[in-house]
Amino acid sequence: MKRILKYSFFDMIRSRWSIFYFLFFLITASSLLYMSNDSSRALASLMNIVIILCPLIGTLFGVMYYYNSRDFIELLLAQPIKRRDIFLGEYFGLAFSIVISFIAGITIPFIFYGFGGADTLVNFLTIVVAGSILTMAFLAISFLVAMKNSNKIKGFGLAIIIWLFMAIIYDGLFLMSLFIFEDYPLETFSLAMTVINPIDLCRTLVMLQLDISALLGYTGAVFNKFFGTSQGIIISLFFALLWVAGPVWTISWQCKAKDF
Amino acid sequence: MIELKNIYKAYKKVPVLKGVSLKMEKGGVYAVLGPNGSGKTTLMKCILGMVLPDRGEVFVGGESVIKKHSYRENIGYLPQIARFPDNLKVEELFKMISDLRGQKGNSEDLIQRFGLEKYLSYKLSSLSGGTRQKVNLVICFMFDAQYILLDEPTSGLDPVAMIALRKLIEEKKQEGKIIILTTHIMDVVEKMADEIIFLMEGKIYFQGDQEKLDELTGSEGVEASIAQLLLKEEKGKNDSSQKNGFRFKLNKVAL
């Protein structure tokens, strides 16, 4: 797996996509920092961008990369290499290069500007962790979607719909169901609803850490009440990581039964 | 030795291989022939493990190979359509494949044979279809594998490369290797094949040498014999459908 990871990583890091992604975060983070002139306010704005954009870019890159490297995968399948190693090598090569672009893009401006205290540094690290987890989770989900659909348009469509659902539609449905069932006790329900959406989960994770109670919302408040801040962070982090492990495991399992 | 035992394969409920059994023991050239969609590529991919059969077993070198991978060290494969990662250069690709296989391949002689020297520093995306096919041939032959699977090796090749390829196949045959190829060019089959396997609608219709094929069909040459086989099958189908129609009419009368 290591060899394939190495090749796909260097193939990706040399490509325009990673550079574009790196530049995007570099420009966004620097402009937020220098315009607001306050690192904690810049972090709050950055959080909103990371929570929506990391999953979207992860989704797009995952599908595009899989379809682009389909021929390469077929070439590899004819070599004496385990299928699982081929697919996991490709996935991790892609994931590491994208995550490195993201981390480098947002870290460099903060290093130049200065973090302005230990609190901000921890908050910054939380955003980095949340963004990396979201990127890896959505890369894995879209990789899987592309693997299952040989038709590119269908694959792209489905992957975008999954992102749209998780990032936007889900919240609407969630709020609507809270409104409709307001007469009932909803704590357990809303906890479950948060756990099954990686974007909500990461949003809660960051908000708990940033301690922005005004932005916590219903779920965040329930999380806070239920677990307290530190336990809430650990639990949301655990479930967010499950969102990476689950799809990655499915990739390694699904690739064994696929025909090429 | 390569052996397939009762292989069945269907893609989304469309059957492609319906109980194919095949044994290739001696070294030599085995030509897999058949009309489009008869399952030739699927058969090759079953040996390679790229397609997993629904039923049946595949043995390579006496060892059952389904869902295994290390046996591919002994296989060289030339896919029908040659496509590679675009960012790589030709020489980088050769190095990469050697590295991934963990085998030190000998590509220099092959590069010379196919006249690829001047393309070594070209990016793969800038190569023409024929040149890509030559690159593909180098990858297929560079590890001196015991089993060589060639899916339409002649497509896109110029006459010079064709001659080089024929010579190469001839040499590998002399070395006692098992070469399986599919092609639509009957001239290649006539000149090179030791054994012909004729696939149609997922079944093996004929396996044997050219003389046996000529004897069976009463024609001379592979092209004419294959045409005969196809016509016979067509005729058989029409007859049976006519018979069915007749039976249907009889049933109607009886009712």
Side-chain angles (χ1 to χ4, degrees), chain B residues 71-116:
Chain B
Y71 74 100
R72 286 195 285 263
E73 279 175 8
N74 302 319
I75 296 185
Y77 172 57
L78 179 93
Q80 202 165 20
I81 302 160
R83 281 181 303 205
F84 307 106
D86 288 345
N87 282 341
L88 286 178
K89 287 177 186 161
V90 176
E91 52 186 349
E92 284 174 338
L93 179 72
F94 294 152
K95 260 187 217 148
M96 184 184 78
I97 298 286
S98 302
D99 184 31
L100 288 176
R101 278 183 86 116
Q103 289 171 310
K104 210 179 166 295
N106 178 21
S107 57
E108 279 153 33
D109 170 50
L110 292 160
I111 288 169
Q112 232 170 24
R113 279 178 191 240
F114 291 109
L116 284 174

Short mmCIF file of all heavy atoms in Angstrom, two decimals, chain B residues 71-116:
data_model
loop_
_atom_site.label_atom_id
_atom_site.label_comp_id
_atom_site.label_asym_id
_atom_site.label_seq_id
_atom_site.Cartn_x
_atom_site.Cartn_y
_atom_site.Cartn_z
N TYR B 71 0.06 -14.49 -7.75
CA TYR B 71 0.30 -15.25 -8.99
C TYR B 71 0.49 -14.34 -10.21
O TYR B 71 1.04 -14.75 -11.22
CB TYR B 71 -0.84 -16.24 -9.25
CG TYR B 71 -2.13 -15.60 -9.74
CD1 TYR B 71 -2.47 -15.60 -11.09
CD2 TYR B 71 -3.00 -14.99 -8.86
CE1 TYR B 71 -3.64 -15.00 -11.54
CE2 TYR B 71 -4.16 -14.41 -9.29
CZ TYR B 71 -4.49 -14.42 -10.63
OH TYR B 71 -5.63 -13.82 -11.07
N ARG B 72 0.03 -13.09 -10.10
CA ARG B 72 0.16 -12.18 -11.24
C ARG B 72 1.61 -11.78 -11.51
O ARG B 72 1.89 -11.15 -12.53
CB ARG B 72 -0.72 -10.94 -11.03
CG ARG B 72 -2.19 -11.25 -11.22
CD ARG B 72 -3.03 -9.99 -11.37
NE ARG B 72 -3.22 -9.30 -10.11
CZ ARG B 72 -4.31 -9.43 -9.35
NH1 ARG B 72 -5.29 -10.21 -9.73
NH2 ARG B 72 -4.42 -8.76 -8.24
N GLU B 73 2.51 -12.16 -10.59
CA GLU B 73 3.94 -11.97 -10.87
C GLU B 73 4.34 -12.70 -12.15
O GLU B 73 5.27 -12.31 -12.84
CB GLU B 73 4.77 -12.57 -9.73
CG GLU B 73 4.88 -11.66 -8.55
CD GLU B 73 5.59 -12.33 -7.38
OE1 GLU B 73 6.12 -13.43 -7.56
OE2 GLU B 73 5.58 -11.72 -6.30
N ASN B 74 3.61 -13.78 -12.44
CA ASN B 74 3.94 -14.59 -13.62
C ASN B 74 3.10 -14.25 -14.83
O ASN B 74 3.08 -14.99 -15.81
CB ASN B 74 3.73 -16.08 -13.30
CG ASN B 74 4.57 -16.51 -12.14
OD1 ASN B 74 5.73 -16.10 -12.04
ND2 ASN B 74 4.01 -17.31 -11.24
N ILE B 75 2.35 -13.16 -14.75
CA ILE B 75 1.47 -12.80 -15.88
C ILE B 75 1.84 -11.43 -16.45
O ILE B 75 2.05 -10.47 -15.70
CB ILE B 75 -0.02 -12.79 -15.44
CG1 ILE B 75 -0.44 -14.20 -15.03
CG2 ILE B 75 -0.91 -12.28 -16.57
CD1 ILE B 75 -1.90 -14.34 -14.69
N GLY B 76 1.92 -11.37 -17.76
CA GLY B 76 2.05 -10.09 -18.46
C GLY B 76 0.74 -9.85 -19.17
O GLY B 76 0.22 -10.75 -19.83
N TYR B 77 0.17 -8.66 -19.02
CA TYR B 77 -1.16 -8.41 -19.61
C TYR B 77 -1.15 -7.15 -20.47
O TYR B 77 -0.60 -6.12 -20.07
CB TYR B 77 -2.17 -8.25 -18.48
CG TYR B 77 -3.55 -7.79 -18.91
CD1 TYR B 77 -4.28 -8.51 -19.86
CD2 TYR B 77 -4.14 -6.65 -18.36
CE1 TYR B 77 -5.55 -8.10 -20.24
CE2 TYR B 77 -5.42 -6.24 -18.73
CZ TYR B 77 -6.12 -6.98 -19.67
OH TYR B 77 -7.37 -6.56 -20.04
N LEU B 78 -1.76 -7.28 -21.63
CA LEU B 78 -1.91 -6.13 -22.51
C LEU B 78 -3.39 -5.83 -22.65
O LEU B 78 -4.12 -6.59 -23.28
CB LEU B 78 -1.32 -6.46 -23.89
CG LEU B 78 -1.45 -5.33 -24.90
CD1 LEU B 78 -0.20 -4.48 -24.90
CD2 LEU B 78 -1.68 -5.87 -26.29
N PRO B 79 -3.88 -4.74 -22.03
CA PRO B 79 -5.31 -4.46 -22.13
C PRO B 79 -5.71 -3.97 -23.52
O PRO B 79 -4.86 -3.53 -24.30
CB PRO B 79 -5.54 -3.37 -21.08
CG PRO B 79 -4.21 -2.79 -20.81
CD PRO B 79 -3.18 -3.79 -21.17
N GLN B 80 -7.02 -4.04 -23.78
CA GLN B 80 -7.53 -3.67 -25.10
C GLN B 80 -7.30 -2.19 -25.40
O GLN B 80 -6.89 -1.82 -26.47
CB GLN B 80 -9.02 -3.97 -25.13
CG GLN B 80 -9.57 -4.15 -26.49
CD GLN B 80 -10.95 -4.80 -26.43
OE1 GLN B 80 -11.62 -4.78 -25.40
NE2 GLN B 80 -11.37 -5.37 -27.51
N ILE B 81 -7.60 -1.36 -24.40
CA ILE B 81 -7.41 0.08 -24.59
C ILE B 81 -6.30 0.54 -23.66
O ILE B 81 -6.37 0.31 -22.46
CB ILE B 81 -8.71 0.85 -24.29
CG1 ILE B 81 -9.82 0.34 -25.18
CG2 ILE B 81 -8.51 2.35 -24.50
CD1 ILE B 81 -11.20 0.65 -24.69
N ALA B 82 -5.27 1.16 -24.23
CA ALA B 82 -4.11 1.53 -23.43
C ALA B 82 -4.26 2.96 -22.92
O ALA B 82 -4.23 3.91 -23.69
CB ALA B 82 -2.86 1.42 -24.28
N ARG B 83 -4.48 3.10 -21.62
CA ARG B 83 -4.53 4.44 -21.03
C ARG B 83 -3.73 4.47 -19.75
O ARG B 83 -3.75 3.51 -18.99
CB ARG B 83 -5.98 4.84 -20.76
CG ARG B 83 -6.68 5.31 -22.02
CD ARG B 83 -8.09 5.71 -21.71
NE ARG B 83 -8.82 4.61 -21.09
CZ ARG B 83 -10.14 4.51 -21.15
NH1 ARG B 83 -10.85 5.39 -21.78
NH2 ARG B 83 -10.75 3.51 -20.54
N PHE B 84 -3.04 5.55 -19.52
CA PHE B 84 -2.14 5.65 -18.36
C PHE B 84 -2.36 6.96 -17.64
O PHE B 84 -2.98 7.86 -18.18
CB PHE B 84 -0.69 5.58 -18.82
CG PHE B 84 -0.38 4.41 -19.69
CD1 PHE B 84 -0.18 4.55 -21.04
CD2 PHE B 84 -0.30 3.15 -19.12
CE1 PHE B 84 0.08 3.45 -21.83
CE2 PHE B 84 -0.04 2.05 -19.90
CZ PHE B 84 0.16 2.20 -21.26
N PRO B 85 -1.80 7.08 -16.42
CA PRO B 85 -1.87 8.39 -15.75
C PRO B 85 -1.16 9.46 -16.58
O PRO B 85 -0.01 9.25 -17.00
CB PRO B 85 -1.12 8.16 -14.43
CG PRO B 85 -0.66 6.76 -14.42
CD PRO B 85 -1.15 6.05 -15.60
N ASP B 86 -1.85 10.55 -16.85
CA ASP B 86 -1.35 11.55 -17.80
C ASP B 86 -0.11 12.31 -17.34
O ASP B 86 0.67 12.78 -18.16
CB ASP B 86 -2.46 12.56 -18.13
CG ASP B 86 -3.52 11.91 -19.00
OD1 ASP B 86 -3.22 10.84 -19.56
OD2 ASP B 86 -4.62 12.47 -19.12
N ASN B 87 0.04 12.47 -16.02
CA ASN B 87 1.14 13.31 -15.53
C ASN B 87 2.52 12.68 -15.69
O ASN B 87 3.53 13.36 -15.57
CB ASN B 87 0.94 13.60 -14.03
CG ASN B 87 -0.09 14.68 -13.84
OD1 ASN B 87 -0.39 15.43 -14.77
ND2 ASN B 87 -0.66 14.74 -12.67
N LEU B 88 2.56 11.36 -15.93
CA LEU B 88 3.85 10.65 -15.94
C LEU B 88 4.52 10.70 -17.30
O LEU B 88 3.88 10.81 -18.33
CB LEU B 88 3.63 9.19 -15.57
CG LEU B 88 3.35 8.85 -14.12
CD1 LEU B 88 3.12 7.36 -13.98
CD2 LEU B 88 4.50 9.27 -13.24
N LYS B 89 5.87 10.56 -17.27
CA LYS B 89 6.62 10.40 -18.50
C LYS B 89 6.77 8.90 -18.77
O LYS B 89 6.65 8.09 -17.85
CB LYS B 89 8.01 11.01 -18.35
CG LYS B 89 7.97 12.52 -18.34
CD LYS B 89 9.36 13.06 -18.11
CE LYS B 89 9.30 14.57 -17.96
NZ LYS B 89 10.48 15.09 -17.33
N VAL B 90 7.08 8.56 -20.03
CA VAL B 90 7.16 7.15 -20.41
C VAL B 90 8.16 6.40 -19.52
O VAL B 90 7.84 5.34 -18.97
CB VAL B 90 7.54 7.01 -21.90
CG1 VAL B 90 7.73 5.55 -22.27
CG2 VAL B 90 6.47 7.63 -22.77
N GLU B 91 9.37 6.97 -19.36
CA GLU B 91 10.38 6.24 -18.57
C GLU B 91 9.97 6.14 -17.10
O GLU B 91 10.25 5.15 -16.43
CB GLU B 91 11.77 6.87 -18.71
CG GLU B 91 11.81 8.35 -18.43
CD GLU B 91 13.18 8.93 -18.74
OE1 GLU B 91 14.12 8.16 -18.97
OE2 GLU B 91 13.31 10.18 -18.77
N GLU B 92 9.27 7.19 -16.61
CA GLU B 92 8.79 7.14 -15.23
C GLU B 92 7.78 6.01 -15.04
O GLU B 92 7.77 5.34 -14.01
CB GLU B 92 8.12 8.47 -14.85
CG GLU B 92 9.11 9.58 -14.58
CD GLU B 92 8.44 10.93 -14.35
OE1 GLU B 92 7.28 11.12 -14.78
OE2 GLU B 92 9.07 11.79 -13.75
N LEU B 93 6.95 5.82 -16.07
CA LEU B 93 5.95 4.76 -16.00
C LEU B 93 6.63 3.39 -15.90
O LEU B 93 6.25 2.56 -15.07
CB LEU B 93 5.04 4.80 -17.23
CG LEU B 93 3.97 3.72 -17.28
CD1 LEU B 93 2.88 3.96 -16.26
CD2 LEU B 93 3.37 3.60 -18.66
N PHE B 94 7.64 3.16 -16.74
CA PHE B 94 8.35 1.87 -16.69
C PHE B 94 8.96 1.64 -15.32
O PHE B 94 8.87 0.56 -14.76
CB PHE B 94 9.45 1.82 -17.77
CG PHE B 94 8.92 1.82 -19.18
CD1 PHE B 94 9.66 2.34 -20.23
CD2 PHE B 94 7.67 1.28 -19.46
CE1 PHE B 94 9.17 2.34 -21.53
CE2 PHE B 94 7.17 1.28 -20.75
CZ PHE B 94 7.92 1.82 -21.79
N LYS B 95 9.57 2.71 -14.79
CA LYS B 95 10.21 2.59 -13.48
C LYS B 95 9.17 2.29 -12.41
O LYS B 95 9.38 1.48 -11.52
CB LYS B 95 10.92 3.91 -13.13
CG LYS B 95 12.42 3.85 -13.40
CD LYS B 95 13.08 5.09 -12.88
CE LYS B 95 14.20 5.49 -13.83
NZ LYS B 95 14.42 6.92 -13.90
N MET B 96 8.04 3.01 -12.52
CA MET B 96 7.00 2.85 -11.52
C MET B 96 6.45 1.42 -11.50
O MET B 96 6.28 0.83 -10.44
CB MET B 96 5.87 3.83 -11.79
CG MET B 96 4.80 3.79 -10.75
SD MET B 96 3.46 4.87 -11.16
CE MET B 96 2.62 3.90 -12.35
N ILE B 97 6.19 0.88 -12.70
CA ILE B 97 5.63 -0.47 -12.77
C ILE B 97 6.64 -1.49 -12.18
O ILE B 97 6.25 -2.38 -11.43
CB ILE B 97 5.26 -0.85 -14.22
CG1 ILE B 97 4.18 0.10 -14.76
CG2 ILE B 97 4.81 -2.30 -14.33
CD1 ILE B 97 2.80 -0.12 -14.20
N SER B 98 7.92 -1.31 -12.49
CA SER B 98 8.95 -2.21 -11.92
C SER B 98 8.92 -2.11 -10.40
O SER B 98 8.97 -3.12 -9.69
CB SER B 98 10.35 -1.83 -12.37
OG SER B 98 10.44 -1.86 -13.74
N ASP B 99 8.84 -0.88 -9.91
CA ASP B 99 8.84 -0.63 -8.48
C ASP B 99 7.61 -1.28 -7.82
O ASP B 99 7.72 -1.93 -6.79
CB ASP B 99 8.85 0.89 -8.25
CG ASP B 99 8.94 1.23 -6.77
OD1 ASP B 99 9.55 0.44 -6.04
OD2 ASP B 99 8.40 2.27 -6.37
N LEU B 100 6.44 -1.10 -8.45
CA LEU B 100 5.21 -1.63 -7.87
C LEU B 100 5.19 -3.15 -7.88
O LEU B 100 4.68 -3.79 -6.98
CB LEU B 100 3.99 -1.08 -8.62
CG LEU B 100 3.66 0.39 -8.40
CD1 LEU B 100 2.51 0.82 -9.28
CD2 LEU B 100 3.32 0.65 -6.94
N ARG B 101 5.72 -3.74 -8.95
CA ARG B 101 5.74 -5.20 -9.04
C ARG B 101 6.83 -5.79 -8.15
O ARG B 101 6.81 -6.97 -7.83
CB ARG B 101 6.00 -5.64 -10.48
CG ARG B 101 4.77 -5.64 -11.35
CD ARG B 101 5.08 -6.14 -12.73
NE ARG B 101 5.02 -7.59 -12.82
CZ ARG B 101 4.16 -8.25 -13.57
NH1 ARG B 101 3.27 -7.61 -14.28
NH2 ARG B 101 4.16 -9.57 -13.63
N GLY B 102 7.81 -4.97 -7.80
CA GLY B 102 8.93 -5.48 -7.02
C GLY B 102 9.80 -6.41 -7.85
O GLY B 102 10.49 -7.26 -7.32
N GLN B 103 9.72 -6.25 -9.18
CA GLN B 103 10.54 -7.07 -10.08
C GLN B 103 11.38 -6.14 -10.93
O GLN B 103 10.91 -5.07 -11.32
CB GLN B 103 9.64 -7.90 -11.01
CG GLN B 103 8.90 -9.02 -10.33
CD GLN B 103 7.88 -9.65 -11.26
OE1 GLN B 103 7.07 -8.98 -11.87
NE2 GLN B 103 7.92 -10.97 -11.36
N LYS B 104 12.60 -6.59 -11.23
CA LYS B 104 13.44 -5.74 -12.07
C LYS B 104 13.18 -6.13 -13.52
O LYS B 104 13.61 -7.18 -13.98
CB LYS B 104 14.90 -5.93 -11.69
CG LYS B 104 15.72 -4.69 -11.93
CD LYS B 104 17.15 -4.88 -11.53
CE LYS B 104 18.01 -3.77 -12.07
NZ LYS B 104 18.10 -3.73 -13.52
N GLY B 105 12.45 -5.33 -14.22
CA GLY B 105 12.12 -5.68 -15.60
C GLY B 105 13.22 -5.26 -16.57
O GLY B 105 14.04 -4.41 -16.25
N ASN B 106 13.22 -5.90 -17.72
CA ASN B 106 14.19 -5.52 -18.73
C ASN B 106 13.47 -4.81 -19.87
O ASN B 106 12.93 -5.44 -20.78
CB ASN B 106 14.91 -6.78 -19.23
CG ASN B 106 15.90 -6.44 -20.32
OD1 ASN B 106 16.34 -5.30 -20.44
ND2 ASN B 106 16.25 -7.43 -21.12
N SER B 107 13.45 -3.47 -19.80
CA SER B 107 12.69 -2.75 -20.81
C SER B 107 13.54 -2.28 -21.98
O SER B 107 13.02 -1.97 -23.05
CB SER B 107 11.98 -1.57 -20.15
OG SER B 107 12.92 -0.75 -19.51
N GLU B 108 14.86 -2.24 -21.80
CA GLU B 108 15.72 -1.62 -22.83
C GLU B 108 15.60 -2.28 -24.19
O GLU B 108 15.42 -1.60 -25.21
CB GLU B 108 17.18 -1.64 -22.38
CG GLU B 108 17.48 -0.50 -21.42
CD GLU B 108 18.61 -0.81 -20.49
OE1 GLU B 108 19.54 -1.53 -20.93
OE2 GLU B 108 18.57 -0.35 -19.34
N ASP B 109 15.69 -3.60 -24.20
CA ASP B 109 15.61 -4.33 -25.46
C ASP B 109 14.26 -4.05 -26.15
O ASP B 109 14.20 -3.81 -27.36
CB ASP B 109 15.78 -5.82 -25.15
CG ASP B 109 15.48 -6.67 -26.37
OD1 ASP B 109 16.03 -6.36 -27.42
OD2 ASP B 109 14.67 -7.62 -26.25
N LEU B 110 13.19 -4.05 -25.35
CA LEU B 110 11.85 -3.85 -25.91
C LEU B 110 11.68 -2.42 -26.43
O LEU B 110 11.04 -2.20 -27.47
CB LEU B 110 10.80 -4.15 -24.85
CG LEU B 110 10.72 -5.62 -24.44
CD1 LEU B 110 10.04 -5.78 -23.10
CD2 LEU B 110 9.97 -6.42 -25.49
N ILE B 111 12.25 -1.46 -25.72
CA ILE B 111 12.16 -0.06 -26.15
C ILE B 111 12.80 0.07 -27.54
O ILE B 111 12.26 0.73 -28.43
CB ILE B 111 12.87 0.85 -25.12
CG1 ILE B 111 12.03 0.93 -23.85
CG2 ILE B 111 13.09 2.25 -25.69
CD1 ILE B 111 12.72 1.56 -22.67
N GLN B 112 13.91 -0.62 -27.70
CA GLN B 112 14.60 -0.59 -28.99
C GLN B 112 13.76 -1.25 -30.08
O GLN B 112 13.61 -0.72 -31.17
CB GLN B 112 15.92 -1.33 -28.85
CG GLN B 112 17.08 -0.50 -29.33
CD GLN B 112 18.38 -1.17 -28.93
OE1 GLN B 112 18.44 -2.38 -28.71
NE2 GLN B 112 19.42 -0.38 -28.84
N ARG B 113 13.24 -2.42 -29.77
CA ARG B 113 12.45 -3.16 -30.76
C ARG B 113 11.28 -2.34 -31.30
O ARG B 113 10.95 -2.39 -32.46
CB ARG B 113 11.86 -4.42 -30.13
CG ARG B 113 12.81 -5.57 -30.05
CD ARG B 113 12.09 -6.70 -29.36
NE ARG B 113 12.99 -7.76 -29.00
CZ ARG B 113 12.87 -9.02 -29.45
NH1 ARG B 113 11.90 -9.33 -30.27
NH2 ARG B 113 13.71 -9.94 -29.06
N PHE B 114 10.61 -1.62 -30.37
CA PHE B 114 9.43 -0.86 -30.80
C PHE B 114 9.76 0.60 -31.10
O PHE B 114 8.86 1.42 -31.32
CB PHE B 114 8.33 -0.96 -29.74
CG PHE B 114 7.74 -2.33 -29.64
CD1 PHE B 114 7.98 -3.13 -28.55
CD2 PHE B 114 6.95 -2.83 -30.68
CE1 PHE B 114 7.45 -4.41 -28.46
CE2 PHE B 114 6.41 -4.10 -30.60
CZ PHE B 114 6.67 -4.90 -29.49
N GLY B 115 11.03 0.93 -31.11
CA GLY B 115 11.46 2.28 -31.50
C GLY B 115 10.92 3.37 -30.58
O GLY B 115 10.47 4.42 -31.03
N LEU B 116 10.98 3.12 -29.27
CA LEU B 116 10.41 4.10 -28.35
C LEU B 116 11.45 5.04 -27.74
O LEU B 116 11.11 5.87 -26.89
CB LEU B 116 9.68 3.37 -27.21
CG LEU B 116 8.31 2.77 -27.54
CD1 LEU B 116 7.80 1.94 -26.37
CD2 LEU B 116 7.30 3.84 -27.88
#
